[in-house]
Amino acid sequence: MTTGTGIGASIKRREDFRFLKGLGRYTDDMTMPNMTYCVFVRSPVAHAKLGKIDLTAASKSPGVVAIFTATDLEAVGGVPCGWLVTDRHNKPMIEPKHPILAAGKVRHVGDPACAVIAETYAQARDAAEKVSIDYQELAAVVDMKKAMLGGAAVHDEAPNNLCFDWELGDKAAADAAFAKAAHICKIDLINNRLVPNAMEPRAAIGAYDLATEEHTLVTTSQNPHVIRLLMGAFVLGIPEHKLRVLSPDVGGGFGSKIFHYAEEALVTWGAKKIGRPIKWVAERSESFLSDAHGRDHVTHAEMAFDKDGMALGLKVDTLANLGAYLSTFAPSVPTWLHGTLMAGQYMTPAIHVNVKAMFTNTVPVDAYRGAGRPEATYVLERLMSKAAAEMGMDQAELRRRNFIRKFPYQTPVAVVYDTGDYDAHLDKALALADYKGFEARRAAAKARGKLRGIGVSAYIEACGIAPSSLVGALGARAGLYEAATVRVNPTGSVAVMTGSHSHGQGHDTTFAQVVADKLGIGIEMVDIVHGDTAKVPFGMGTYGSRSLAVGGTAIVEALNKVIDKGRRIAAHLLEASEADIVFENGAYQVKGTDRKKTFGEIALTAYVPHKYPIDKIEPGLEETAFYDPKNFTFPSGTYICEIEIDPATGETQIIKFTAADDFGNIVNPMIVEGQVHGGLAQGIGQALLENAVYDDNGQLKSGSYMDYCMPRADDLPSFDITTTNTPCTHNPLGVKGCGEAGAIGSPPAVINAICDALRDYGVMHMDMPATPEKIWRALQVAMPKAAE
């Protein structure tokens, strides 16, 4: 049943009222009786042996309750990695220990060396400043090429700082394709390192109940059950039934709050040690040094074409920065989430990808909005536009000529696309962007002394990582299913307990729309519960644009069980066979008659079983389902960016940005549009503004908003957004995923537009971020040469 609040309705987010009124409940809003406060003493140097840690002065500081160092945690496990990559020589990756507090050495600026617990935050901070640590500084390695060629060893067990040397595809087939090519396009590019910068910094509260021997962790996490599993089983050795993890309202994550962090383990362990709750909340500058960063690839890529512009082969060689330690899912990002997307939307028959993952003395790198998919898309889409320019072809036409049109399609890089229509969103984007009229606009801009360019990007994304059996074979150390419990109350209201976690996606609204639509009830009758391992079934959380495709399908499967049980009850009440009972518009009805019972009547009967045989149907109306997808979902789209450059300053202005996406069926178009807007802002930020920069000594030079440039409203245009629809073939909702698309497709669209604007000056590539200074300097070199 489709109602005014059901599937397809653009209703306002139900959760926004409390957020806009300041009624959200975040980790830092929570207090516990007798709570203490934690401040971490973090390394000011990138690489050093730890000498004496003198706690004398700090211990005497007012309010100090305890100070912990690595010596206190010798019996505690290190932070685990959740993905094992096997390299091209069939050897497992190098997996150094990641201690909760630095032991023996510090390996990046921000590496925690000790934790100070005090009665107040101010007292903890004052005491932390009195901790004296003898840092015996060592040479640091930041540059990946230097790291590989004999730079300082981050870990003794990783020769040449190499974690793994991985490959995917057929090298011999790619070499053969290149041998017969009419044109080979080559490119060297950098996918710049980013700092996630969620609105809410990370925070954690640990507590211990001596009477029940139960631990509680309140944390800013995207997946509380995964944190309970990793921290309980592999770090602290706490039985899961004795560890509760709560993730209340979370102010954004973008991937950086997926992972298990040392701070969570420390406050949980420490709370039992001191017999009091411990709270830690990161300062913004601390977040720059402790939250997992994103991207940071250096890539050489080549693409071979025949004389008609048909792609024959692709070769990609990448150095991927892992930072100083392996974060939870870090090994999967430059490998299985990256290499498998190198086919893009194109019928390239031969592809080979090689990735060397490196340790450096920098903050660990892990998934950040898109996680591997933006990096792959950037490589491929820059190659397509550069190749089009070199061959004198239109960039949109070259893409169209190579589109996949027959589905399902087995790519040369492992994955199978189930469905898609790439021509449809290309056509929509070209029309909405007035692509045909661009040259007239370029000429008008030139008359005003400006350089105008247009860039196309055709992305594809793999969402809802699955199935568990496949990803397990690829190295995942956890299942990637999702779970849901649907509890129908006697009066017909519904509580849905989901393993997915909402931190800005709008689950309270979209999940409720699915339930209301399926049961034919008002959305106000539906409550969505998440973020508490004591209340919700074991689930894998929210990341990878999986919530609706995986978590939503688990809800649908549980609803189907509820409906089926209701049908059995209705059959008894209506004295008909189950086969003759249909459920439509919120009622069970005997086919071909007007005899029916509403869903509410059936719900009440389920709990007051006077009229059906309880020996055949047990009382109650509550069902649980686990859903493990058969395949990824594959959203796709075409983005077109039109920019104007002032050659006197190098400043780039985005004049128009068009996004045409295929997300399959859409539950709430307004929420989807908001997700795309956010992704576009982050992708444009990467393309033009954001960059985490380290000096040769491993100091983060862009460690605050004074030096790390975030996009603001006046950096962005009003986006033109539209959608097409080829429903996913293997989930009942036909949905694909939309949360990361904007961040995936936009960076190459922006850079392609800049390169198009600079084409007459022979500038064929511009690394991100394309700052005004970088563009101005390129023009100072290129313009005199072009005038010769």
Side-chain angles (χ1 to χ4, degrees):
M1 173 185 179
T2 301
T3 68
T5 58
I7 292 174
S10 285
I11 64 172
K12 293 181 179 179
R13 300 196 331 168
R14 302 194 304 170
E15 52 269 58
D16 282 350
F17 175 82
R18 60 191 175 88
F19 292 142
L20 293 171
K21 289 288 187 178
L23 301 174
R25 193 161 185 251
Y26 298 89
T27 299
D28 193 30
D29 294 325
M30 301 176 70
T31 60
M32 296 182 182
N34 210 24
M35 190 164 71
T36 62
Y37 297 83
C38 177
V39 167
F40 288 90
V41 178
R42 298 183 182 276
S43 173
V45 298
H47 198 196
K49 291 182 179 180
L50 281 176
K52 182 180 179 181
I53 301 178
D54 188 348
L55 306 178
T56 306
S59 299
K60 296 176 181 178
S61 190
V64 169
V65 176
I67 302 177
F68 299 121
T69 67
T71 303
D72 300 297
L73 289 109
E74 288 178 348
V76 173
V79 179
C81 180
W83 200 292
L84 173 67
V85 163
T86 301
D87 74 7
R88 64 192 182 97
H89 305 294
N90 203 33
K91 294 181 179 179
M93 66 188 188
I94 303 296
E95 193 169 357
K97 185 176 180 180
H98 182 180
I100 302 301
L101 295 175
K105 285 175 70 175
V106 290
R107 291 180 169 87
H108 67 89
V109 173
D111 207 356
C114 77
V116 178
I117 318 297
E119 298 290 350
T120 69
Y121 172 71
Q123 289 173 331
R125 185 171 56 185
D126 289 344
E129 292 176 355
K130 297 176 183 178
V131 173
S132 177
I133 300 178
D134 176 21
Y135 294 102
Q136 299 167 13
E137 197 164 355
L138 302 169
V141 61
V142 172
D143 181 273
M144 286 187 282
K145 291 181 180 179
K146 292 179 180 178
M148 187 170 57
L149 298 173
V154 181
H155 298 280
D156 293 339
E157 58 266 52
N160 298 316
N161 294 300
L162 182 68
C163 180
F164 56 78
D165 182 355
W166 179 87
E167 69 177 355
L168 182 66
D170 189 329
K171 187 177 187 302
D175 288 341
F178 273 73
K180 60 183 181 181
H183 180 81
I184 296 175
C185 178
K186 301 179 181 181
I187 197 165
D188 289 284
L189 50 80
I190 294 171
N191 208 292
N192 42 321
R193 178 184 280 240
L194 303 175
V195 180
N197 283 307
M199 186 176 293
E200 178 199 21
R202 287 193 299 115
I205 303 172
Y208 180 70
D209 188 326
L210 183 60
T212 62
E213 298 182 322
E214 291 179 348
H215 297 259
T216 298
L217 170 67
V218 184
T219 184
T220 49
S221 174
Q222 298 176 214
N223 44 359
H225 270 293
V226 173
I227 302 306
R228 188 181 73 165
L229 173 64
L230 292 175
M231 187 181 75
F234 301 109
V235 182
L236 302 181
I238 302 171
E240 286 179 281
H241 70 289
K242 293 294 185 181
L243 175 58
R244 180 187 184 188
V245 178
L246 293 91
S247 295
D249 290 327
V250 173
F254 312 119
S256 68
K257 294 175 183 173
I258 297 171
F259 325 121
H260 174 41
Y261 288 94
E263 295 90 352
E264 294 167 323
L266 189 285
V267 297
T268 305
W269 172 87
K272 180 179 180 181
K273 228 22 178 167
I274 69 171
R276 296 172 62 182
I278 301 173
K279 175 190 275 191
W280 167 77
V281 180
E283 294 184 343
R284 182 60 66 182
S285 58
E286 189 177 13
S287 296
F288 272 86
L289 300 176
S290 62
D291 291 5
H293 292 179
R295 315 290 191 252
D296 205 350
H297 287 190
V298 176
T299 297
H300 173 78
E302 301 183 8
M303 199 165 190
F305 297 86
D306 69 13
K307 61 182 179 62
D308 298 316
M310 297 301 295
L312 300 175
L314 173 67
K315 297 178 183 179
V316 181
D317 290 286
T318 290
L319 293 178
N321 201 337
L322 297 174
Y325 302 102
L326 289 175
S327 181
T328 305
F329 292 117
S332 70
V333 175
T335 54
W336 298 109
L337 298 181
H338 173 250
T340 53
L341 270 294
M342 282 298 177
Q345 299 181 14
Y346 313 118
M347 297 181 293
T348 312
I351 299 174
H352 180 257
V353 181
N354 176 245
V355 177
K356 293 179 176 66
M358 309 301 300
F359 291 114
T360 63
N361 293 117
T362 62
V363 173
V365 177
D366 208 319
Y368 173 66
R369 198 170 191 169
R373 284 72 58 91
E375 296 91 316
T377 300
Y378 184 62
V379 171
L380 186 59
E381 291 306 293
R382 281 296 296 121
L383 277 169
M384 290 298 283
S385 284
K386 187 171 185 284
E390 291 172 351
M391 293 188 289
M393 293 182 64
D394 177 79
Q395 57 184 315
E397 174 56 31
L398 179 61
R399 287 171 168 83
R400 189 190 298 277
R401 192 170 296 189
N402 284 279
F403 277 164
I404 299 161
R405 293 187 173 86
K406 293 183 179 180
F407 296 90
Y409 177 79
Q410 173 66 64
T411 73
V413 279
V415 296
V416 178
Y417 302 161
D418 63 326
T419 187
D421 185 347
Y422 309 143
D423 289 286
H425 49 66
L426 176 62
D427 289 340
K428 264 198 165 183
L430 293 174
L432 192 58
D434 186 21
Y435 190 75
K436 291 181 179 179
F438 171 71
E439 289 303 331
R441 299 192 295 277
R442 190 202 295 269
K446 186 176 182 180
R448 292 184 283 106
K450 301 295 178 67
L451 306 176
R452 205 167 181 111
I454 196 163
V456 178
S457 170
Y459 79 89
I460 192 164
E461 181 186 3
C463 302
I465 307 171
S468 293
S469 58
L470 171 62
V471 296
L474 301 181
R477 288 166 165 166
L480 292 174
Y481 51 82
E482 198 47 84
T485 295
V486 174
R487 178 180 300 152
V488 182
N489 298 311
T491 57
S493 63
V494 178
V496 177
M497 281 65 75
T498 172
S500 298
H501 186 275
S502 183
H503 41 278
Q505 293 84 356
H507 294 170
D508 287 3
T509 302
T510 51
F511 284 172
Q513 286 181 262
V514 170
V515 175
D517 195 275
K518 187 80 174 173
L519 296 180
I521 61 177
I523 194 172
E524 70 281 357
M525 297 286 284
V526 183
D527 186 31
I528 305 298
V529 180
H530 64 89
D532 186 346
T533 61
K535 294 181 179 179
V536 303
F538 191 101
M540 302 310 296
T542 293
Y543 46 85
S545 301
R546 73 192 301 267
S547 294
L548 195 56
V550 187
T553 298
I555 292 172
V556 169
E557 297 293 340
L559 287 169
N560 287 339
K561 292 182 179 182
V562 165
I563 292 168
D564 287 345
K565 183 173 181 179
R567 182 178 287 107
R568 296 200 300 273
I569 296 171
H572 285 282
L573 295 181
L574 295 169
E575 298 180 335
S577 70
E578 286 184 40
D580 289 332
I581 301 294
V582 294
F583 182 67
E584 296 176 341
N585 301 320
Y588 292 92
Q589 187 168 355
V590 180
K591 285 189 289 188
T593 75
D594 60 358
R595 294 165 53 216
K596 61 183 178 180
K597 293 288 184 180
T598 66
F599 180 75
E601 290 176 298
I602 296 301
L604 182 60
T605 303
Y607 287 94
V608 188
H610 297 163
K611 297 182 179 180
Y612 69 88
I614 60 174
D615 60 325
K616 295 182 180 179
I617 308 174
E618 65 182 12
L621 198 53
E622 177 177 324
E623 298 289 347
T624 295
F626 288 78
Y627 174 68
D628 199 342
K630 298 176 182 178
N631 192 5
F632 294 89
T633 66
F634 295 98
S636 61
T638 300
Y639 290 175
I640 300 177
C641 178
E642 188 169 334
I643 60 95
E644 198 168 87
I645 295 173
D646 183 344
T649 64
E651 182 180 3
T652 299
Q653 180 184 3
I654 298 178
I655 305 299
K656 186 178 178 69
F657 199 104
T658 304
D661 296 286
D662 179 358
F663 297 134
N665 294 333
I666 292 176
V667 171
N668 188 313
M670 182 174 65
I671 287 179
V672 166
E673 186 171 338
Q675 287 286 306
V676 174
H677 275 226
L680 292 177
Q682 285 182 281
I684 291 169
Q686 177 177 11
L688 296 179
L689 303 165
E690 298 183 49
N691 198 20
V693 179
Y694 282 90
D695 69 14
D696 290 341
N697 296 318
Q699 293 293 331
L700 182 62
K701 297 174 68 177
S702 50
S704 75
Y705 291 144
M706 291 292 291
D707 301 295
Y708 188 93
C709 189
M710 296 282 286
R712 303 180 304 180
D714 59 357
D715 294 312
L716 307 171
S718 180
F719 302 121
D720 293 318
I721 291 175
T722 188
T723 58
T724 61
N725 183 5
T726 55
C728 175
T729 60
H730 54 79
N731 69 59
L733 291 168
V735 298
K736 294 183 178 179
C738 70
E740 297 166 295
I744 293 170
S746 56
V750 174
I751 299 300
N752 287 342
I754 289 171
C755 292
D756 182 61
L758 303 177
R759 66 179 188 176
D760 291 342
Y761 300 102
V763 179
M764 299 299 287
H765 179 64
M766 180 71 60
D767 272 324
M768 300 186 291
T771 60
E773 179 188 1
K774 195 180 291 184
I775 293 173
W776 182 85
R777 289 187 181 279
L779 284 171
Q780 300 316 297
V781 174
M783 291 176 97
K785 291 182 179 179
E788 292 176 358

